[in-house]
Amino acid sequence: MTWSPDGMPLYALVMAGGPGTRFWPLSRRSRPKQLLPFAEGRSLLAATVERLAPLVSPERTLVVTATEVVEAVRAELPRLPVGNILAEPVGRETAACVGWVAWRLARSRPNAVMVVLPADHVIPDGPALRSALAGAAATAASRGGLVTLALRPTRAETGFGYLELGEVVSAAAGRPVQVVKRFVEKPSKERAEEFVAAGNYAWNSGMFAWTVAAIQGAIREFLPELAAGLDELAAAGDTLGEQEALRRHYPLLPKVSVDFGVMEKATSVWAVGVDFAWSDVGSWAGLSEVLPSRADGATLGDVVALDSAGSVLISDGPLVAVVGVRDLVVVATRDTVLVVPKDQAHRVKELVEKLREAGRDDLL
Amino acid sequence: MTWSPDGMPLYALVMAGGPGTRFWPLSRRSRPKQLLPFAEGRSLLAATVERLAPLVSPERTLVVTATEVVEAVRAELPRLPVGNILAEPVGRETAACVGWVAWRLARSRPNAVMVVLPADHVIPDGPALRSALAGAAATAASRGGLVTLALRPTRAETGFGYLELGEVVSAAAGRPVQVVKRFVEKPSKERAEEFVAAGNYAWNSGMFAWTVAAIQGAIREFLPELAAGLDELAAAGDTLGEQEALRRHYPLLPKVSVDFGVMEKATSVWAVGVDFAWSDVGSWAGLSEVLPSRADGATLGDVVALDSAGSVLISDGPLVAVVGVRDLVVVATRDTVLVVPKDQAHRVKELVEKLREAGRDDLL
């Protein structure tokens, strides 16, 4: 039997909607980041769902993705009931995605607790994640507010948002539950260093837990326009069917993140502190932390390297053969090869833009 | 009518035998360097034969290549009579190749003059080359010795052999004809600098002119074992047919270069001095001189580069997309991608060796 906090059914929402060009040319419109095989040969998405499974069964795991890739997502998750894979006709950011699923659950399982996770993070220690999520869900069930997982920062990263944490109010699965005093947008290097030194700041993980009632209440309070849109969507579903209702109403929902639109405004927000290894695999350079590392760098696929170091070498087809390269990203697919120094990997988007302008959409 | 020195028929031997791994992965056993499209989209071989054509007609141009690639060579040279493309069953270095063709010509055209050229050099100024070859052929016809084209050195290159030149004995097509005092093997950097400063040293171009009688005489004198082998080969051809004779006798010919085996030992050697632009396209790095150069480097095929410089970027199929790379060689084929810093491009052979050891002959 699946574990339930306080006898309330536990559901998971895995958000797998993002397109993203940061992993071009491996990622394409038809194969976004979460479908890339960065988790020991499996996709990040499949690894995320499997990591959850001992805590939340496939029957209670819902995956939201984009219509263009829904078939690929289904193929990736054969154990999930087909009806649990939900396709947004267009992406409307995380508040709409979370709200849509909460409104749906409110009808069938109004007393459910939800945990919410991105599909594209790497967390090698599955038991630690599940234990933390169980603690967060129990906290959400008992307190009725919004709960987030707070990652202990391991470096002064400027690419993440931070949480300022207040008093410890309880414990959950052996972890401290703290008041979240405020959300801080991506900081400067200086401020990030202050945060890490201060000790009462954590990385905002983008992983949440709340009851359906709590998130519905928060959306009604802080994003009334979204709540109204979700009410309309639900009503239209009754008369038109869900697909047609989505087609008409989903594109009209306000586009805002759940962090900015809800979490930063809410008053009852708690953090469950975690310190497991975690990566959001933000760019080619970030793969160094995630892929099997050899002396010559992090590699995936058919790679031969001589006298190389610090590089990310990825093949999705052709042999990648390198000699004497340092801190370089090389990615080879059947139709495209990317080469960029690791510290400039973020500039991939400039290439994508240039190709789009040149009308080379077949490569995007 | 084709030009003839002193009324003697002029033949060209284009040596297209070399396998070579320096241009792997673009070059393969089935597509050696001379078949690569480094001459404004045409192969080096086709460009060499076409460059000669106004001086030596296709009917008088003989191409020696390896049996494995003879079909590819024919496809590359549709204007050449099929019988003019000669296949060595195994490579036995340049003295055997030159000797074989000289012995053949001795039967049909004993009074011929031959010019001999590698198939894989780039010489943009065709008229200058033809004029120099005509001068060398005329010198060979009138003097009866061995003539070589001597390139005026433009840098203290350590990768070439040098000629020490003596007194000017005449002129040919407006160029000085000088005595060759000696051949010098590839020098140290210090000695190369001395040679360039001295002014009486030239690069050994590997391009020659001689009468059939002169080269036969020189081979008989300095390589008697080769001469005997070539006599046997010719005699066996009369009874067995040329193919069977080659199969049996060619592999037994001594393996020595015409430079080392004949030129360095001969006493009557003249040089015709030339100063046209020339490249032996010795490595990926050397392509910078030969390929169309843009700000981002020398490129061939489907390449998109942002903020890059000094690189050699080559596609034979996939798009090559680079950002921020400096002095890098990137070569992409359908099955293999090579990335190596330009100053380490010579290490490609180590990769090839590693793949051979790994049994990956399909990629070689």
Side-chain angles (χ1 to χ4, degrees):
Chain A
M1 209 193 87
T2 313
W3 175 84
S4 296
D6 291 345
M8 298 161 79
L10 179 64
Y11 279 77
L13 163 56
V14 174
M15 293 187 292
T21 55
R22 282 182 292 186
F23 288 91
W24 183 85
L26 205 55
S27 66
R28 305 290 171 106
R29 281 170 307 191
S30 59
R31 187 163 80 150
K33 174 188 166 196
Q34 60 271 23
L35 296 181
L36 298 181
F38 292 158
E40 292 169 19
R42 291 173 310 164
S43 70
L44 293 171
L45 170 63
T48 298
V49 169
E50 284 171 41
R51 205 181 290 127
L52 280 177
L55 178 68
V56 186
S57 69
E59 288 69 29
R60 290 187 173 178
T61 299
L62 304 169
V63 175
V64 175
T65 188
T67 304
E68 307 92 75
V69 296
V70 70
E71 289 307 323
V73 166
R74 278 185 193 135
E76 204 54 33
L77 301 172
R79 291 175 58 211
L80 226 62
V82 170
N84 286 21
I85 298 171
L86 307 173
E88 297 173 309
V90 294
R92 299 302 291 172
E93 277 277 13
T94 51
C97 172
V98 163
W100 176 31
V101 170
W103 257 244
R104 279 177 116 252
L105 280 173
R107 298 193 146 199
S108 57
R109 294 286 188 157
N111 67 332
V113 179
M114 295 166 68
V115 291
V116 179
L117 303 90
D120 55 359
H121 291 179
V122 167
I123 300 166
D125 188 348
L129 172 68
R130 291 190 293 271
S131 155
L133 287 174
T139 303
S142 63
R143 293 182 175 270
L146 309 178
V147 182
T148 181
L149 295 194
L151 288 156
R152 189 159 70 187
T154 55
R155 59 181 185 272
E157 173 66 52
T158 58
F160 304 147
Y162 284 71
L163 309 171
E164 185 187 346
L165 303 177
E167 64 172 317
V168 177
V169 294
S170 58
R175 294 174 175 80
V177 178
Q178 285 171 277
V179 170
V180 175
K181 294 172 74 175
R182 62 178 180 122
F183 282 70
V184 188
E185 299 284 308
K186 296 175 184 174
S188 66
K189 189 74 187 171
E190 223 166 41
R191 294 202 70 207
E193 279 163 4
E194 286 167 22
F195 293 166
V196 174
N200 62 325
Y201 285 81
W203 290 343
N204 181 4
S205 70
M207 295 185 276
F208 307 108
W210 40 56
T211 62
V212 166
I215 190 67
Q216 277 199 301
I219 290 175
R220 287 202 190 281
E221 184 174 354
F222 303 112
L223 294 172
E225 201 190 328
L226 175 59
L230 291 167
D231 286 338
E232 276 174 46
L233 176 64
D238 291 337
T239 55
L240 301 169
E242 189 172 30
Q243 288 315 305
E244 182 59 17
L246 281 170
R247 205 182 60 73
R248 293 196 195 182
H249 291 275
Y250 205 87
L252 307 175
L253 298 178
K255 204 168 177 177
V256 59
S257 74
V258 74
D259 293 272
F260 182 76
V262 179
M263 301 302 285
E264 295 187 16
K265 298 181 169 68
T267 44
S268 300
V269 180
W270 290 281
V272 173
V274 296
D275 59 3
F276 45 66
W278 167 91
S279 170
D280 75 337
V281 202
S283 76
W284 284 120
L287 276 184
S288 300
E289 304 162 15
V290 170
L291 292 182
S293 271
R294 314 188 305 203
D296 37 21
T299 66
L300 185 69
D302 194 6
V303 174
V304 171
L306 284 177
D307 186 25
S308 298
S311 296
V312 173
L313 309 170
I314 304 216
S315 161
D316 186 34
L319 170 70
V320 170
V322 306
V323 187
V325 302
R326 294 282 175 279
D327 300 321
L328 203 62
V329 173
V330 179
V331 183
T333 72
R334 272 165 228 290
D335 60 14
T336 304
V337 175
L338 167 72
V339 182
V340 59
K342 228 160 105 178
D343 61 4
Q344 296 188 55
H346 57 280
R347 299 185 65 191
V348 165
K349 60 177 185 291
E350 295 173 41
L351 274 176
V352 169
E353 196 44 47
K354 186 161 177 169
L355 290 169
R356 189 170 287 130
E357 281 166 15
R360 304 200 59 180
D361 292 29
D362 55 313
L363 297 175
L364 302 180
Chain B
M1 210 194 86
T2 313
W3 174 84
S4 296
D6 291 347
M8 297 161 79
L10 179 64
Y11 280 77
L13 162 57
V14 175
M15 294 187 291
T21 55
R22 282 183 291 185
F23 288 91
W24 183 87
L26 205 55
S27 67
R28 305 289 171 107
R29 281 170 306 192
S30 59
R31 188 164 79 148
K33 174 188 165 196
Q34 60 272 21
L35 296 181
L36 298 181
F38 292 157
E40 293 170 16
R42 292 173 309 164
S43 70
L44 292 170
L45 171 62
T48 298
V49 170
E50 285 171 41
R51 204 182 290 127
L52 280 176
L55 179 69
V56 187
S57 68
E59 288 69 30
R60 289 186 173 178
T61 299
L62 305 168
V63 175
V64 174
T65 189
T67 304
E68 307 93 73
V69 295
V70 69
E71 288 307 323
V73 166
R74 279 186 193 135
E76 203 56 31
L77 301 171
R79 290 175 58 211
L80 226 63
V82 170
N84 286 21
I85 297 172
L86 307 173
E88 296 173 311
V90 292
R92 298 303 290 174
E93 278 276 12
T94 53
C97 171
V98 163
W100 177 31
V101 171
W103 257 244
R104 278 176 118 253
L105 280 173
R107 298 193 148 199
S108 57
R109 293 287 189 157
N111 68 331
V113 180
M114 297 166 66
V115 291
V116 179
L117 303 89
D120 56 0
H121 291 179
V122 167
I123 300 166
D125 187 349
L129 171 69
R130 290 189 294 271
S131 154
L133 287 174
T139 303
S142 64
R143 294 185 173 268
L146 309 178
V147 181
T148 182
L149 295 193
L151 287 156
R152 189 160 70 187
T154 54
R155 60 181 186 272
E157 173 67 51
T158 58
F160 305 146
Y162 284 71
L163 309 171
E164 185 185 348
L165 303 177
E167 64 173 317
V168 176
V169 295
S170 58
R175 294 174 174 81
V177 178
Q178 286 172 277
V179 170
V180 175
K181 293 171 76 175
R182 60 178 181 124
F183 282 70
V184 188
E185 298 285 309
K186 296 176 184 176
S188 66
K189 189 74 186 170
E190 222 166 43
R191 295 201 72 207
E193 279 163 3
E194 286 168 20
F195 292 167
V196 174
N200 62 325
Y201 285 81
W203 290 342
N204 180 6
S205 70
M207 295 184 276
F208 307 107
W210 40 57
T211 63
V212 166
I215 190 67
Q216 278 200 301
I219 290 174
R220 287 201 189 283
E221 184 173 355
F222 304 112
L223 294 172
E225 201 189 330
L226 175 60
L230 291 167
D231 286 338
E232 277 174 46
L233 176 64
D238 290 338
T239 55
L240 301 169
E242 189 172 29
Q243 288 314 307
E244 183 59 19
L246 281 170
R247 205 183 60 74
R248 294 197 193 180
H249 291 275
Y250 205 87
L252 306 175
L253 297 178
K255 202 169 178 176
V256 59
S257 74
V258 75
D259 294 271
F260 183 77
V262 179
M263 300 302 283
E264 295 188 16
K265 299 180 168 69
T267 44
S268 299
V269 180
W270 292 281
V272 173
V274 296
D275 58 4
F276 44 67
W278 167 91
S279 169
D280 74 337
V281 202
S283 76
W284 284 120
L287 275 185
S288 300
E289 304 163 16
V290 170
L291 291 183
S293 272
R294 313 187 305 202
D296 36 22
T299 67
L300 187 68
D302 195 4
V303 173
V304 171
L306 283 177
D307 186 24
S308 298
S311 296
V312 174
L313 309 171
I314 305 217
S315 162
D316 187 34
L319 170 70
V320 170
V322 305
V323 187
V325 302
R326 293 282 175 279
D327 300 321
L328 204 62
V329 173
V330 178
V331 183
T333 73
R334 273 166 226 291
D335 59 15
T336 304
V337 175
L338 167 72
V339 182
V340 58
K342 228 160 106 178
D343 61 4
Q344 296 189 54
H346 57 280
R347 298 186 63 191
V348 165
K349 60 177 185 291
E350 294 174 41
L351 273 177
V352 169
E353 197 42 49
K354 186 161 178 171
L355 290 169
R356 187 170 288 131
E357 281 165 14
R360 304 200 60 182
D361 291 30
D362 55 313
L363 297 175
L364 301 179

